Amino acid sequence: MTEMRERARDSGFGASRWHRYVAAFDRVIRCIDHSYYLEAIAILDSLITDRLTSRVGHVKHQERPALKPVGPLCKTLIGDPNSQSSLGAETDPQFRAVIAQIRTWSNARNAAMHETAKIVRGSDQHGTFDVDMEVHRRTALDGIELLQQFDNLDTADRKRAGKFPATRPNAFFPERRRLSAADGPTVPSWQRLRVIVDQAVEDVYRDERDLIVRGTHESAVVARIAYQIARHVERSDSPLRVDVEYNRDRVDVKRLPGDRGLRDRVRADLIVHERGCGHANLLVLEARKRLSATARADLGKRVEKFRAEFGYRDAVVLDLSDQPRLHWVSRECEVADADESISRHQRI
């Protein structure tokens, strides 16, 4: 069994969905770290709703179950708590227990979303705003725990049926996102490296926004992105390095077919590779400002030439506009649809 669903490979919808789960969950963690508890709760509500909807489809054998909020989904799965005759579609006792906790959690979510700025005259339940925010922090942490419990159950249940959910591998478990066993202990799996690149772009746009606002040359922006990628890729037990404007193919000057004599044109903006080694070229990235559709397609063909000539496993075109867009180039030399690009610096 592969690490990802077959339809989640390359530029398919499954890969886009997995990346979205990762982006959303990691955003939850960052929101909690920065005390943005209401945003964290809102994202968790979306993730939990998605997974409950998937469970409804699984137990009721529906390809596309109706989109509903958490409360009605819980009712569909475990019935009406006020009616003994309505038991719901879920029969597994472990799932029923977690879903019951999710239903209770949804009440705390409602209080966070709708009552944070309210106080009721005559009530003796008033606390300070800071006290209420601490309650919301706990609600966010509880939401993470319930989402992870549910995902563990879902993954195990589908595995018994020879399947696995769209969240595999470990979309909701950052600490488990390890390197693919098939690639060995030092080479990031393709999906892991993509997450690292997405995160690096987001971090630079968030923390060093002045580089964009001031119209700095793209090489300065790429250098900061390379630094962020290197923090995750370059380790003492790995020969991998992140280089910018690297113009060597082992010891020779790097050349592309059709570029002979134009040495300055064969330096990729950023690569992830093992220096002096031709079999560990992982990623080539080319960045430009405000790409038109035609320019993006041309640059996509160029990075595909890099990959074909030098054996890079992945290639990406980065559009350094006011809102960054990452266009991953597929194995067939197609620029991935914009919906697959993950520009996660915007608040969800």
Side-chain angles (χ1 to χ4, degrees):
M1 184 175 292
T2 57
E3 276 296 297
M4 298 286 288
R5 295 163 142 191
E6 286 303 312
R7 67 171 180 262
R9 290 188 178 278
D10 294 323
S11 61
F13 175 74
S16 297
R17 183 162 59 169
W18 185 83
H19 281 292
R20 179 59 65 92
Y21 290 141
V22 169
F25 187 85
D26 288 355
R27 180 75 181 195
V28 168
I29 300 301
R30 292 194 299 278
C31 285
I32 294 174
D33 288 343
H34 292 86
S35 302
Y36 300 144
Y37 306 131
L38 299 185
E39 184 177 346
I41 292 169
I43 299 171
L44 283 166
D45 180 65
S46 178
L47 289 170
I48 290 171
T49 298
D50 176 273
R51 302 321 299 151
L52 289 176
T53 301
S54 176
R55 186 63 185 175
V56 168
H58 182 68
V59 299
K60 298 186 73 172
H61 307 290
Q62 297 175 347
E63 182 64 24
R64 290 186 177 89
L67 296 175
K68 299 178 181 179
V70 168
L73 287 169
C74 290
K75 184 176 180 179
T76 298
L77 287 165
I78 61 174
D80 187 339
N82 300 315
S83 173
Q84 294 298 320
S85 62
S86 175
L87 298 178
E90 181 60 71
T91 59
D92 187 295
Q94 290 182 296
F95 274 103
R96 291 183 66 86
V98 172
I99 294 168
Q101 293 179 65
I102 289 174
R103 178 153 55 193
T104 300
W105 177 85
S106 69
N107 294 328
R109 173 216 59 192
N110 288 339
M113 294 292 103
H114 304 300
E115 300 176 13
T116 295
K118 296 179 182 178
I119 60 173
V120 180
R121 188 183 300 275
S123 172
D124 59 358
Q125 301 300 315
H126 302 159
T128 67
F129 190 83
D130 288 342
V131 169
D132 287 346
M133 293 305 292
E134 177 59 26
V135 172
H136 300 335
R137 185 186 75 87
R138 185 66 258 173
T139 298
L141 294 174
D142 289 344
I144 289 175
E145 184 176 352
L146 290 170
L147 178 64
Q148 291 178 332
Q149 287 182 30
F150 186 93
D151 191 62
N152 277 331
L153 288 174
D154 195 34
T155 300
D157 184 63
R158 297 192 193 220
K159 183 178 180 180
R160 287 189 289 269
K163 302 177 181 179
F164 43 89
T167 58
R168 188 171 184 257
N170 302 313
F172 304 146
F173 297 89
E175 70 281 3
R176 294 184 191 171
R177 294 184 209 136
R178 295 293 181 257
L179 309 182
S180 169
D183 288 327
T186 63
V187 181
S189 63
W190 70 268
Q191 64 267 33
R192 174 59 173 158
L193 185 55
R194 287 190 176 190
V195 171
I196 290 172
V197 173
D198 293 334
Q199 184 66 61
V201 173
E202 178 185 349
D203 289 345
V204 170
Y205 263 72
R206 184 190 64 235
D207 299 335
E208 304 192 61
R209 184 76 183 178
D210 61 313
L211 289 176
I212 310 302
V213 173
R214 295 177 181 179
T216 309
H217 192 276
E218 58 250 26
S219 60
V221 183
V222 170
R224 301 310 298 167
I225 293 170
Y227 169 76
Q228 294 293 339
I229 297 173
R231 292 176 56 235
H232 299 280
V233 170
E234 295 185 358
R235 305 190 310 273
S236 60
D237 62 340
S238 170
L240 293 177
R241 293 295 178 265
V242 182
D243 287 314
V244 296
E245 300 293 332
Y246 195 85
N247 70 337
R248 288 297 188 213
D249 179 16
R250 296 181 173 86
V251 297
D252 298 325
V253 173
K254 188 175 290 184
R255 300 177 185 274
L256 281 177
D259 283 348
R260 299 192 180 282
L262 301 175
R263 296 183 179 184
D264 59 327
R265 293 184 58 194
V266 297
R267 295 178 300 189
D269 289 339
L270 181 153
I271 59 175
V272 179
H273 68 141
E274 180 180 344
R275 293 173 188 157
C277 172
H279 62 268
N281 290 334
L282 298 191
L283 173 73
V284 56
L285 178 150
E286 287 275 74
R288 299 291 187 275
K289 291 183 179 180
R290 295 174 176 82
L291 286 167
S292 66
T294 300
R296 187 186 74 188
D298 289 343
L299 200 53
K301 292 176 182 178
R302 177 167 173 76
V303 295
E304 176 58 27
K305 285 177 66 177
F306 264 99
R307 181 163 62 187
E309 184 71 13
F310 303 111
Y312 289 100
R313 189 172 63 188
D314 242 329
V316 62
V317 172
L318 172 57
D319 185 351
L320 294 171
S321 300
D322 291 338
Q323 314 294 344
R325 298 193 70 81
L326 286 152
H327 304 281
W328 293 93
V329 180
S330 76
R331 303 294 179 187
E332 291 77 25
C333 191
E334 296 175 350
V335 175
D337 186 84
D339 286 342
E340 185 188 1
S341 304
I342 302 178
S343 301
R344 297 177 300 157
H345 61 287
Q346 292 179 317
R347 300 185 73 174
I348 298 173

